[in-house]
Amino acid sequence: MVLDFYASAAVLVVFVVAFLATYAAIPPSASLMKRRGIFGTDAHKLDSAKIPEMCGVSVIVGLCVAGLVSAGLLADHFREIAAFLGTLLIAGAIGAIDDLRPLSSKLKPVLTGLAALPILLLGTYDPKPFLPLVGTARLTILYPLLVPIAIAVSANAVNMLDVFNGSMSGTLTIVSLALALVLALSGNSTATSLALALAGSLLAFYLFNRYPARVFWGDIGTLAVGAAVGALSVIGRIEVVTIVALAPYIMNAFYGLASIGRLYERRQVKSRPVRLRKDGALEATADKNAPVTIARLILAEGPMREQQIVHLLMMMTALSSTLAVLTFFIPKVP
């Protein structure tokens, strides 16, 4: 059942509010990080520019403002909105801790899994997920145990693809729009408003984070929005659709973990998968000890500019997101 006129207008208002609130919050957050001396090095630039980091807090601010607006317009579904924002805030807090006092590679996934507590405590999940070509699965006991895993996986997979200017903000905007379309087609106004709020915030951040980046996310932002995507999949009952949409993220995480053979943090790996050339182009490293990533596989064909890599990643995500939308229609095929 597609959204009615009022619900459609409401979710569009939430999208605009999220975009404007985030856009307005980015400059002051960047100024704050500069004053505090919180910078990240743009490793893929010849001048190794210092960029204000932890500016992902602006997206959290924008999503909280949009969430409150959504709660006012769609008051009957306050629990779902509270669960979404609760997951976002807990994951953001864990990311902030990791930015200021780095967590171990084993502890961080465990802590991000705890961000699922609002979903579990508020009961905003259905233990009967729909599986295409299979039907409804009854996972009454198992499903609540899978929710923290889903949040941890989505949060950390998103975090691992934040390696180039605009790579995560651009690709995840596409994913969020695809999820919003599926949720709108299913008639879930609350989840649609949250997906569009996420898309609006990500789009605003992309304008500052795209090449050449003026702000960096920090783990406070990447873990928060990654967990938010996981929360959307559970609250909106679109688990399989979300997995398909996030295929590039999941592949990137799988390749990295499989090549290293364990959980790891980028700062713990001395050998980098991508090397900066003297002409400013990027190329795949020949070091066998470096992790295998999507970027390294793309560059196996030859050197590219950072913008070219990001465009390819966005094209891959557009494809996976299109397949995700088509997945929604599979149960309707005779």
Side-chain angles (χ1 to χ4, degrees), residues 103-289:
L103 300 169
S104 72
S105 58
K106 294 181 180 179
L107 180 59
K108 188 160 71 172
V110 173
L111 291 179
T112 49
L114 295 178
L117 284 175
I119 297 173
L120 298 174
L121 294 176
L122 292 172
T124 53
Y125 65 91
D126 189 336
K128 301 174 184 177
F130 195 91
L131 307 178
L133 301 179
V134 176
T136 302
R138 301 180 66 88
L139 304 174
T140 307
I141 298 176
L142 182 61
Y143 192 87
L145 302 177
L146 295 176
V147 174
I149 296 175
I151 300 301
V153 168
S154 61
N156 288 280
V158 166
N159 176 258
M160 292 176 73
L161 200 61
D162 181 35
V163 289
F164 302 112
N165 293 177
S167 61
M168 192 274 276
S169 52
T171 55
L172 209 60
T173 298
I174 297 171
V175 170
S176 301
L177 289 172
L179 299 185
L181 175 58
V182 169
L183 290 164
L185 292 172
S186 67
N188 190 329
S189 59
T190 302
T192 303
S193 73
L194 295 175
L196 282 177
L198 184 58
S201 290
L202 286 164
L203 179 59
F205 198 87
Y206 173 74
L207 297 178
F208 287 83
N209 182 235
R210 63 185 174 177
Y211 185 96
R214 289 177 281 168
V215 294
F216 278 170
W217 280 97
D219 282 2
I220 188 175
T222 56
L223 291 182
V225 296
V229 173
L232 267 179
S233 72
V234 174
I235 295 170
R237 296 195 66 197
I238 52 169
E239 297 91 341
V240 175
V241 169
T242 305
I243 290 172
V244 175
L246 289 177
Y249 287 87
I250 296 171
M251 290 167 56
N252 182 66
F254 175 79
Y255 289 147
L257 294 175
S259 60
I260 296 297
R262 57 179 173 81
L263 293 172
Y264 70 95
E265 290 289 314
R266 284 196 291 264
R267 57 180 173 269
Q268 297 174 332
V269 180
K270 295 181 179 180
S271 301
R272 308 308 304 162
V274 172
R275 191 176 73 87
L276 180 64
R277 299 180 1 151
K278 292 182 179 180
D279 61 358
L282 299 172
E283 63 181 4
T285 181
D287 191 340
K288 295 182 180 180
N289 294 319

Side-chain angles (χ1 to χ4, degrees), residues 288-301:
K288 295 182 180 180
N289 294 319
V292 176
T293 63
I294 281 187
R296 187 179 180 185
L297 293 175
I298 290 174
L299 291 170
E301 297 294 324

Side-chain angles (χ1 to χ4, degrees), residues 293-334:
T293 63
I294 281 187
R296 187 179 180 185
L297 293 175
I298 290 174
L299 291 170
E301 297 294 324
M304 291 185 186
R305 297 288 175 179
E306 184 175 2
Q307 307 98 302
Q308 293 176 295
I309 301 172
V310 174
H311 289 159
L312 283 174
L313 289 172
M314 292 179 73
M315 289 173 63
M316 291 174 62
T317 307
L319 175 60
S320 67
S321 296
T322 300
L323 294 174
V325 174
L326 294 176
T327 301
F328 172 72
F329 294 99
I330 289 179
K332 299 178 183 179
V333 177

Side-chain angles (χ1 to χ4, degrees), residues 40-86:
T41 301
D42 200 338
H44 299 132
K45 303 291 189 303
L46 290 173
D47 60 357
S48 298
K50 298 294 183 181
I51 310 296
E53 200 157 21
M54 290 185 71
C55 295
V57 67
S58 59
V59 171
I60 296 176
V61 171
L63 284 173
C64 287
V65 172
L68 293 175
V69 172
S70 180
L73 296 174
L74 305 166
D76 293 340
H77 300 278
F78 180 75
R79 282 193 310 129
E80 287 80 0
I81 297 171
F84 175 83
L85 293 180

